[in-house]
Amino acid sequence: SHSAFVTRVKNFEEKTEAFKAAVPWGVTGCFYVKPNFPGRCGHVCNGGFIVRKETRGNGIGQHMGKAFLPLARDLGYKASFFNLVFVSNGVSDRMWQKLGYTMLGVVPKVARLKGIEELVDAKQYYYDLTKVTQYKDIPH
């Protein structure tokens, strides 16, 4: 089973017409939480995150990453594990570090990515969700 979440701007109706056209319905991003390993290890989750191009650079990814932790815990997961955080995605890599994830290792030359000639390494990140207390206590 998967759970999905959307982030929206406050007071969307009060925004300019140009903003409303650029950011339909005020949706700035979305993310999901799902089991990383269904079955015996189904207590470990994974997630995916998308920030609308027009709203990047405003901390939305950081907000979603921070919200992910207590939400995943409240959904019953005990840990979060991101298998493949590509080193070419520096924003994502820095975000997981800032949020207190532990880097477990690097998978060398694991991905063929569009626009990058050579194979790309990926880092693996882990978070013990049993240590999550409140949203306000998570580093950012």
Side-chain angles (χ1 to χ4, degrees), residues 1-3 32-38 42 44-48 68 75 77:
S1 66
H2 298 57
S3 298
Y32 65 84
V33 184
K34 70 175 186 72
N36 198 346
F37 309 105
V44 178
C45 70
N46 188 294
F68 172 88
L75 288 168
Y77 294 103

Side-chain angles (χ1 to χ4, degrees), residues 70-83:
L71 286 169
R73 180 211 51 211
D74 292 349
L75 288 168
Y77 294 103
K78 305 297 182 203
S80 172
F81 180 59
F82 292 114
N83 312 348

